Amino acid sequence: MQLTEKQQAVLNGEQGETLARVMKTIVMYGEIFGADKLVPVTHAEGHLVTSFGIALMKPLFSTMDELIKADIHTKGKFTVDPRPLDYENVKCNPLEKLVFHIMYKKQAEYEEQLKKVGLKDEDAFTCASYLPEVGNVPKKGDVLSWAESSAVVYANSVLGARCNRNSGMIDLFGSIVGYVPYFGLLTDEGRKATWKVYVKTSKIPEAQILGSAIGMKVMEDVPYVYGLDKFLGDSLTDEVTAYLKDFGAATASNGAVGLYHIDNLTPEAKEQGESLIKEGAKEYIIDDAELERVYKSYPLMWKNKNAAPGLCFIGCPHLTYGQLIKWTEDLEGALKASGRKKVKVRTVMTTPPAVKRKFMATPYYYKLTGMGVKVSSICPLMYTNNPMTKGRAIITNSNKLRTYSVARYYKDAEILNIISGKEGC
C-alpha cells in the first residue's frame, strides 16, 4: 500500500504508539482486500455497530481504555447502534432480567467509554442514523467509515455515499485516523452491478420479502433492479425511502448486499443508468410465485410450533416518523374492525430516540400507546440474544430480526391482523 507522508508519519509513531497501532490496523485491513491506498473520510460523522456492553467483549473494552488513556478520539462525533435494554417499555420476567444483567453488565461503563471517544449524544443510539431527525446524513459521494449492514446499504444505495461493509472497531478506527482503504464499494468499478433483477409482480412487493429474495440470490454482489419504479415512482419521497430502508436491510441480512441500484430511482441509477451494469451480468426474475416461494421457505424455529404469539416487534431497522404514523392509523382501523380497543398481542414498535421524541409531541403517540403498544428505542436483536427469550413466541415483520433470532416472520398485513385480534396465526 502506498501511503502519503502524513499517513506514513502516523504509522511510524510520530503521533504516539497507540495511534500508530490504529493506523497499522487500518492499513492491514486494506491490504487484505488488495487496497493500494487510503482515502480521506469526507463525512466525519461515523456510525459504530458495537453498542452493547456484553461482558465477553473484553478486547473491545481494553482497546477503548487504551484510546482514552492516549486522549484519542474520532475526527467527528459518531452515532452507534441501539441500546440492548429498555426495561420500562420491553418488560421481562425476573429470570430474563437476571440473564440480561449478566450479559450486559458492562453497558453503563461502555457507554462512558463511547462518550470519551466521540459519541454524539445520549440520543445517538439507533441503527437508522441516516434519518433526518438523528442528523447523521451523508451527502452523495461522501466517503464513510461506518459499520452496521442496514445503515451501510442505505447510505450507499439511497444516499449515494461510499462505504464498505466494515466490521466493528474498523468503523471506529477509520473515524479516528480519518482514512479508509480504497477498495470495493468505494471504487467506481466496485459499484457496478453483476446482477439484473426484474420485478414482475402484480402489486408492490413486500419490501422485506423482496429484499430477502434478492439478498439470498445475489449474496454479496451488486444488483440492478428493474420494475420497482413502477410502484415507487421516480422520486425519493419519505414513503419511498422508508420502503428502501426495509428492503435494503433484508438484502444485507439475508444476503450480504452493500449496495443496490433501482432503475430510474436511486441516485447513481438515475444518473448513469445501465452503464452501471457489468457485461455478462446474471439475471433473476421475481414474480408473485417467486415471492411466495421465498416467504414459505422461512423456517419456524419456535420450541412450541403451535404456540400463540406472546410478543411482537415492529421496527428492525428502526421505524421512521412516517411509518409510526401509518402503523398508528392502520392499527386503529384494524382494532375497530375486530371490535377491540387494545392489541391482543404485546407489541413493541422501535424507533430512534429523536424520532420517538418528535412522535411523542403528537396526538398519534397517545393513540398508539392507548391501544396498548409500547414505543421503544431498543435493539430487538439484542433482546432476542438472551437465551431465556428464545422460548418466547415472538413475531415480527422484520426479515433481519427473523434471520438473527427465532422470531417468526409475518407480512405487514398479517401482523396487523394478529395483533389486532382480527385473525389468528
Side-chain angles (χ1 to χ4, degrees), residues 49-62:
V49 68
T50 314
S51 61
F52 41 93
I54 193 164
L56 293 173
M57 298 178 66
K58 293 179 182 179
L60 168 63
F61 307 131
S62 62

Side-chain angles (χ1 to χ4, degrees), residues 124-228:
F125 291 83
T126 175
C127 52
S129 59
Y130 44 78
L131 295 182
E133 294 86 355
V134 183
N136 190 355
V137 188
K139 300 186 300 296
K140 183 178 179 296
D142 270 340
V143 174
L144 318 180
S145 184
W146 285 15
E148 162 53 41
S149 62
S150 66
V152 167
V153 72
Y154 186 95
N156 275 320
S157 310
V158 181
L159 301 179
R162 298 197 170 200
C163 186
N164 281 312
R165 282 175 55 108
N166 300 308
S167 64
M169 297 308 288
I170 292 296
D171 49 11
L172 176 62
F173 287 180
S175 294
I176 287 172
V177 299
Y179 297 100
V180 288
Y182 186 67
F183 72 93
L185 298 176
L186 268 61
T187 69
D188 289 343
E189 187 66 18
R191 297 178 74 82
K192 290 188 175 180
T194 55
W195 281 87
K196 293 188 285 187
V197 178
Y198 297 92
V199 176
K200 298 184 177 182
T201 54
S202 59
K203 60 182 179 179
I204 184 170
E206 197 91 5
Q208 298 274 357
I209 303 177
L210 179 64
S212 171
I214 293 174
M216 288 191 288
K217 175 64 74 171
V218 311
M219 296 306 291
E220 76 277 8
D221 290 345
V222 177
Y224 190 100
V225 183
Y226 294 93
L228 199 51

Side-chain angles (χ1 to χ4, degrees), residues 85-121:
L85 302 172
D86 179 2
Y87 292 134
E88 180 181 352
N89 294 296
V90 190
K91 302 292 186 183
C92 53
N93 63 42
L95 182 56
E96 290 170 344
K97 194 169 185 178
L98 174 62
V99 174
F100 276 133
H101 178 72
I102 295 170
M103 287 178 65
Y104 300 120
K105 67 179 181 180
K106 300 282 287 186
Q107 187 66 29
E109 183 180 338
Y110 178 52
E111 289 191 22
E112 287 302 312
Q113 290 180 319
L114 289 171
K115 291 175 186 176
K116 292 176 181 177
V117 175
L119 181 68
K120 185 180 177 184
D121 52 43

Side-chain angles (χ1 to χ4, degrees), residues 309-324:
L311 176 61
C312 175
F313 276 115
I314 299 173
C316 179
H318 277 172
L319 297 171
T320 67
Y321 176 72
Q323 286 178 311
L324 280 170

Side-chain angles (χ1 to χ4, degrees), residues 109-400:
E109 183 180 338
Y110 178 52
E111 289 191 22
E112 287 302 312
Q113 290 180 319
L114 289 171
K115 291 175 186 176
K116 292 176 181 177
V117 175
L119 181 68
K120 185 180 177 184
D121 52 43
E122 288 289 333
D123 281 355
F125 291 83
T126 175
C127 52
S129 59
Y130 44 78
L131 295 182
E133 294 86 355
V134 183
N136 190 355
V137 188
K139 300 186 300 296
K140 183 178 179 296
D142 270 340
V143 174
L144 318 180
S145 184
W146 285 15
E148 162 53 41
S149 62
S150 66
V152 167
V153 72
Y154 186 95
N156 275 320
S157 310
V158 181
L159 301 179
R162 298 197 170 200
C163 186
N164 281 312
R165 282 175 55 108
N166 300 308
S167 64
M169 297 308 288
I170 292 296
D171 49 11
L172 176 62
F173 287 180
S175 294
I176 287 172
V177 299
Y179 297 100
V180 288
Y182 186 67
F183 72 93
L185 298 176
L186 268 61
T187 69
D188 289 343
E189 187 66 18
R191 297 178 74 82
K192 290 188 175 180
T194 55
W195 281 87
K196 293 188 285 187
V197 178
Y198 297 92
V199 176
K200 298 184 177 182
T201 54
S202 59
K203 60 182 179 179
I204 184 170
E206 197 91 5
Q208 298 274 357
I209 303 177
L210 179 64
S212 171
I214 293 174
M216 288 191 288
K217 175 64 74 171
V218 311
M219 296 306 291
E220 76 277 8
D221 290 345
V222 177
Y224 190 100
V225 183
Y226 294 93
L228 199 51
D229 59 322
K230 170 185 173 183
F231 304 106
L232 300 181
D234 60 1
S235 299
L236 292 172
T237 64
D238 290 346
E239 185 178 2
V240 168
T241 55
Y243 180 98
L244 294 178
K245 166 181 70 74
D246 295 336
F247 163 78
T251 69
S253 58
N254 286 201
V257 175
L259 164 67
Y260 58 81
H261 302 292
I262 309 296
D263 188 49
N264 200 35
L265 181 59
T266 52
E268 287 164 280
K270 291 192 79 166
E271 288 182 3
Q272 301 177 51
E274 293 181 331
S275 66
L276 285 168
I277 304 172
K278 287 187 177 181
E279 186 176 348
K282 301 174 185 176
E283 295 187 357
Y284 178 35
I285 296 174
I286 300 178
D287 55 17
D288 294 338
E290 175 64 0
L291 282 185
E292 192 64 15
R293 181 196 68 79
V294 170
Y295 178 46
K296 289 182 176 178
S297 73
Y298 301 150
L300 175 56
M301 301 175 67
W302 291 352
K303 289 183 178 180
N304 177 4
K305 298 189 185 307
N306 296 315
L311 176 61
C312 175
F313 276 115
I314 299 173
C316 179
H318 277 172
L319 297 171
T320 67
Y321 176 72
Q323 286 178 311
L324 280 170
I325 290 176
K326 188 173 189 309
W327 273 105
T328 303
E329 292 174 340
D330 290 349
L331 183 57
E332 188 176 33
L335 285 174
K336 184 177 180 181
S338 65
R340 298 177 63 91
K341 293 184 177 180
K342 292 184 179 290
V343 290
K344 182 180 179 181
V345 177
R346 186 161 67 97
T347 301
V348 178
M349 295 190 186
T350 62
T351 193
V355 175
K356 179 179 178 180
R357 189 166 53 251
K358 177 180 177 180
F359 185 63
M360 288 177 70
T362 72
Y364 285 99
Y365 174 76
Y366 299 98
K367 283 185 179 182
L368 186 61
T369 55
M371 292 183 284
V373 175
K374 296 292 186 180
V375 181
S376 174
S377 295
I378 197 175
C379 174
L381 291 180
M382 294 299 102
Y383 175 87
T384 55
N385 270 350
N386 187 327
M388 295 296 102
T389 67
K390 294 187 187 301
R392 287 183 177 270
I394 300 173
I395 60 174
T396 184
N397 69 331
S398 165
N399 233 313
K400 181 174 184 179

